Amino acid sequence: MEERYQLNKELAQMLKGGVIMDVTTPEQAVIAQEAGACAVMALERIPADIRAAGGVSRMSDPAMIRSIQEAVTIPVMAKCRIGHFVEAQILEAIEIDYIDESEVLSPADDVFHVDKRKFKVPFVCGARDLGEALRRIAEGASMIRTKGEPGTGDIVQAVRHMRMMNTQIRHAVSLSEDELYEEAKKLQVPYELLKQVHDTGRLPVVNFAAGGVATPADAALMMQLGAEGVFVGSGIFKSGDPVKRASAIVQAVTNYNDAKLIAELSSGLGEAMVGINESEIKLIMEERGK
Amino acid sequence: MRIGVLAVQGAFAEHSAKVCQLGAEAVEIRKRHDIQTELDGLILPGGESTAMRKLLTELDLLEPLKEMIQNGLPVFGTCAGMILLAKEISGGGTPCFGTLDISVHRNAYGRQLGSFRCVDIFAGKEIEMPFIRAPYATNVRDNVTVLASHDNRIVAVRQDNQLATAFHPELTEDFTVYEYFFQTIAKRLRK
């Protein structure tokens, strides 16, 4: 199992510097692949529509996920509800490349997350801070992403989560070894994982940005803040010109320090997704699963 | 020695670290400007080959890099890098540089559940080989030397200045494949 976990962490390493795009149909998946996505997230409704529809939102239809697997050669991810290990088993049965145990869907368990160490397929989980990230890794997640606030087109939460993570990592690095025990207790995380952060100055797994990325500038902002890649959910297929926007975001992630290029990429992109402010939303998804 | 590492997407940082550990300089290549300096070698990392090909085209890197490879610049591709070099992709797909006389079978071992690690022989020496959603080579022409096979599948090849592996030596502690690549570079520099 240790070897499997290692391979799963390594698949995340192959995704670095890339953009993972939400898609709802095989046609969108092909568009995403052609625009340079390094993976796609197959789901029935993108977060903005989940928000609009309300009600309970669940794992997508396996038939729909399969049709997307058949349409592209890049890795295909799909979401299960927090704590819904049977949805995760189903996704493993259809040989998904990565499971996102996601706060975007309605949680199935308000206490426990999926015991991800029991699975052969890899998991990515959302985190708002170092504590959440290391707890998910302890449960078996082989990749972390910020939670952000999905489906809003508002980058403020993803920025907050990435900054919090960075601050806490720097703090962990600065502590002496005997102080780490107390810090592990405070963060409610295993000492060994915190020790790894202390020694290496980074999370033990790849860390992406997610939630609210709508423009090439948003993507580059997250990369400059230390993200190793970006998930774009509603931002692409809710915008005026998905193809152009998708490929602009892909290029902005590669050359995130090149303001001149990002200026060009940001020009004439058409309408961005409308977006909702944090103060305008009732449903706060980032609060799900701590 | 200065090695360019293609850094448009994928696990390029891992290669850069290896290059530095061997005492060479790693230059990350993200745009045209980055290849204006003289390079002694080029590494094409693992990642997603479709994403890399798209970015290489958009960033005006494909043609100049292809020309450098054709002019004899030693190049080393791993996994997606092998696909970028291959002349033909079985089952369709547009070749990228197309300078290496092989066909590649993309995602040849299936999805992530098919990823594995093994120990096998590369150029006469046993090394660890991680395969991650890996390809393998088929239809290898006469001018190509097979350097490694695993379960009767060709997983490492060389053709003159071009070296390609379906596995990821950058994810192991072993330096054998890098040393092999560096020898090719040294030989060229001596000429």
Side-chain angles (χ1 to χ4, degrees), chain B residues 47 49 78-84 89 102-110 116 131-138 153-156 165-168:
Chain B
S49 57
T78 57
C79 194
M82 181 188 240
I83 298 174
L84 294 181
I89 298 169
I102 58 168
S103 297
V104 284
H105 192 345
R106 190 184 252 154
N107 299 337
Y109 300 91
F116 64 99
F131 290 84
I132 298 170
R133 285 174 47 93
Y136 56 64
T138 56
R153 309 284 194 199
I154 297 165
V155 295
T165 64
F167 55 90
H168 294 276

Side-chain angles (χ1 to χ4, degrees), chain A residues 59-130:
Chain A
M59 178 192 76
S60 299
D61 181 346
M64 169 267 173
I65 298 171
R66 277 209 184 100
S67 67
I68 286 173
Q69 286 176 314
E70 276 156 28
V72 294
T73 57
I74 54 178
V76 178
M77 304 182 163
K79 292 180 194 290
C80 76
R81 284 181 265 177
I82 290 174
H84 205 315
F85 49 85
V86 175
E87 285 186 348
Q89 289 163 6
I90 293 170
L91 292 174
E92 182 169 69
I94 61 169
E95 297 196 17
I96 202 78
D97 290 302
Y98 241 98
I99 298 176
D100 184 1
E101 186 184 17
S102 178
E103 67 283 0
V104 169
L105 306 182
S106 312
D109 192 320
D110 53 6
V111 181
F112 300 103
H113 279 73
V114 172
D115 181 359
K116 296 167 273 289
R117 295 167 308 171
K118 291 215 173 98
F119 290 79
K120 285 191 185 135
V121 289
F123 280 82
V124 53
C125 286
R128 296 180 298 180
D129 52 43
L130 185 59

Side-chain angles (χ1 to χ4, degrees), chain A residues 220-239:
Chain A
L221 172 68
M222 296 313 297
M223 291 299 286
Q224 287 195 27
L225 284 172
E228 298 182 276
V230 172
F231 283 85
V232 187
S234 320
I236 289 173
F237 289 101
K238 274 282 162 191
S239 72

